[in-house]
Amino acid sequence: MKRNRTDYVAYIFFALLAATALELLINVAPFIVLVGSAAMIYYGLKRMSKQKGKVLFYGGLVIFILTLLSSFFFLLLVFGALFYMLYLFWEKASKPTKMEIAINEQASNDSREAFVKNTFLGDQQLNHEGFRSDDINIHTGIGTTEIHFENTVLPKGDTIVIIRGFIGSTKLYVPYDAGVSVEHACLFGQTDLFGNHKIGFNQNVKVVNDSYQDAPRRLRIYTSIVAGDIEVMYR
């Protein structure tokens, strides 16, 4: 069986974790301190309502973390994890996630499944059919995401789409003949909703296209991100 990159990263992670445990066991003093600090944390948790319990808990936690940081292999594990996350962020930013949305209007209610997609880091291209038109939830993490609705025939009525993200850029492509309503909220970023530009802090923007009220097929899009850009355009 061909192993992917995630398998190798997991092997390296557990190898460094095992090396950390072995290093602490060989050096008896750090191991004893680690066990003692773990006992302080345990008894502190059981007595958190009292001042003594809080001192034991937080004191044990500080000693436990400092003891782990004294391990070469644990530091290697921490810096390796940070480097890998930065690499994934760069990789995702350079190659955006692409989601091709397809709705099967003919599917029966029993055969349809709610569409919930979660991505934090990584590159994916999706083609989905047969989910309920009122239950599309997309959770993005870090990087650029493209969501395409222009290649599907929307069902009659309202199709509700909820998009939540952390940091990055989101682009939505919608069909010309659909009524579209967009409500967007973010702490900081730039919005471009059908040519309406806005940039700044603590944004709450709502835009409705001209055909929304009379359109038989409508997209109601709700987006929320911490920081980043959003662009909604026709295609």
Side-chain angles (χ1 to χ4, degrees), residues 16 20 23 68-79:
L16 289 173
T20 301
E23 181 184 10
L68 283 178
L69 291 176
S70 68
S71 166
F72 169 77
F73 289 106
F74 184 77
L75 286 175
L76 197 63
L77 177 65
V78 171
F79 284 109

Side-chain angles (χ1 to χ4, degrees), residues 97 99 101 103 113-120 124 126 128 131-141 145 147 149 159-165 170 172 219-224:
T97 299
M99 300 183 184
I101 305 297
I103 300 174
E113 297 180 356
F115 175 39
V116 179
K117 179 59 193 171
N118 295 276
T119 61
F120 184 70
Q124 300 181 39
L126 308 173
H128 287 273
F131 53 82
R132 290 195 303 272
S133 62
D134 61 347
D135 197 8
I136 303 175
N137 288 274
I138 300 171
H139 305 277
T140 64
T145 301
I147 303 170
F149 285 96
T159 297
I160 299 174
V161 182
I162 300 172
I163 302 168
R164 298 182 180 91
T170 302
L172 293 97
L219 269 175
R220 292 166 57 190
I221 301 169
Y222 301 89
T223 63
S224 176

Side-chain angles (χ1 to χ4, degrees), residues 154-215:
L154 295 172
K156 291 182 178 179
D158 292 350
T159 297
I160 299 174
V161 182
I162 300 172
I163 302 168
R164 298 182 180 91
F166 184 49
I167 298 173
S169 175
T170 302
K171 296 182 179 180
L172 293 97
Y173 299 93
V174 299
Y176 284 96
D177 58 347
V180 182
S181 168
V182 183
E183 294 189 33
H184 173 67
C186 72
L187 290 179
F188 176 77
Q190 178 175 299
T191 62
D192 185 353
L193 308 179
F194 305 119
N196 296 297
H197 300 275
K198 186 176 181 181
I199 185 169
F201 291 91
N202 195 26
Q203 293 191 45
N204 288 278
V205 183
K206 181 176 181 179
V207 173
V208 177
N209 69 353
D210 295 334
S211 59
Y212 180 77
Q213 296 299 332
D214 301 323

Side-chain angles (χ1 to χ4, degrees), residues 84-86 88-90 92 119-124 141-143:
Y84 184 63
M85 289 184 67
L86 288 172
L88 288 177
F89 173 75
W90 171 83
K92 183 175 174 65
T119 61
F120 184 70
L121 288 169
D123 303 318
Q124 300 181 39
I142 299 174

Side-chain angles (χ1 to χ4, degrees), residues 87-108:
Y87 169 74
L88 288 177
F89 173 75
W90 171 83
E91 185 181 54
K92 183 175 174 65
S94 61
K95 184 181 178 183
T97 299
K98 184 178 180 182
M99 300 183 184
E100 297 278 356
I101 305 297
I103 300 174
N104 187 355
E105 190 178 4
Q106 303 302 321
S108 65

